[in-house]
Amino acid sequence: MNKTIILLLFFISIIGKAQDLKIIRAQYPEAVKSSEAASKLEAELSRIDNSSKPVLLAYKGAVLTLKAKFAKKKSDKKDFFKEGVALIESAVSADASNVEIRYIRLSVQENSPKFLGYHKNIEEDKEFILKNYGSISSAELKETIKDFVMKSENFEQQEKIQFN
């Protein structure tokens, strides 16, 4: 009986985490557009730390870079951006073969001001996404990445064709 309860709680926990990721995936593109959406997503990710799944760490890092974008004070902009980049790079180091993490890093690098110097992995991540897009099992994630690619200036028109 106790094993059944423990097993049931385990599966509920997994389903809850999958649901959280689905919500986060849906909110991320919106967070890029407004400080309110970024704040909402930041609250959703507040409990994420270095022991969390790397993909969640990458999203938290991306949201911190968005906080930098929307911050008023220069020092806050710098601090949020540095912390966000550190989390994204930690996520890439922990799971370099994760297409979603590469998409997150590419989206941040593509939208970072040039003077910040966070652009060195654009080609690498773009190529990784082109090569591994077909292996994504989540329909929502595929659609999110496809939407990003179609709007991206880093993908050539002929490369975008494979996403249709």
Side-chain angles (χ1 to χ4, degrees):
M1 182 67 168
N2 283 343
K3 287 182 183 179
T4 306
I5 292 172
I6 291 170
L7 198 57
L8 182 62
L9 290 174
F10 174 74
F11 284 119
I12 289 171
S13 166
I14 289 173
I15 291 168
K17 295 222 182 300
Q19 187 64 29
D20 286 351
L21 189 53
K22 190 174 181 178
I23 291 167
I24 291 164
R25 284 176 179 157
Q27 289 178 351
Y28 178 61
E30 295 305 312
V32 173
K33 300 174 190 171
S34 79
S35 62
E36 294 80 18
S39 294
K40 183 178 177 184
L41 185 53
E42 180 188 19
E44 190 82 32
L45 295 167
S46 64
R47 66 190 184 284
I48 302 303
D49 61 24
N50 286 330
S51 66
S52 300
K53 288 174 58 175
V55 70
L56 294 174
L57 205 57
Y59 276 115
K60 184 170 186 170
V63 169
L64 285 171
T65 66
L66 292 175
K67 276 187 74 169
K69 173 183 173 181
F70 297 120
K72 302 288 185 231
K73 290 173 37 183
K74 235 180 187 177
S75 62
D76 287 344
K77 286 181 177 287
K78 180 182 173 189
D79 292 344
F80 288 139
F81 190 80
K82 283 177 63 177
E83 184 180 354
V85 166
L87 290 176
I88 293 167
E89 291 303 321
S90 175
V92 172
S93 293
D95 193 359
S97 63
N98 186 308
V99 180
E100 188 166 12
I101 292 172
R102 297 297 195 97
Y103 144 70
I104 294 165
R105 180 169 72 176
L106 178 59
S107 72
V108 171
Q109 289 191 359
E110 186 173 288
N111 292 294
S112 296
K114 296 287 184 213
F115 72 88
L116 293 173
Y118 190 54
H119 297 92
K120 68 180 187 221
N121 307 103
I122 288 176
E123 274 305 308
E124 171 191 342
D125 289 343
K126 176 187 136 181
E127 292 303 320
F128 188 86
I129 290 168
L130 286 168
K131 183 178 177 187
N132 295 286
Y133 178 77
S135 68
I136 299 170
S137 58
S138 164
E140 299 91 18
L141 178 57
K142 269 189 141 167
E143 192 61 32
T144 299
I145 292 175
K146 175 184 172 183
D147 289 346
F148 169 77
V149 167
M150 293 307 189
K151 295 173 187 167
S152 172
E153 294 179 9
N154 286 302
F155 289 83
E156 302 294 325
Q157 204 56 44
Q158 67 189 41
E159 293 169 327
K160 292 179 181 184
I161 292 170
Q162 87 175 58
F163 292 89
N164 285 330

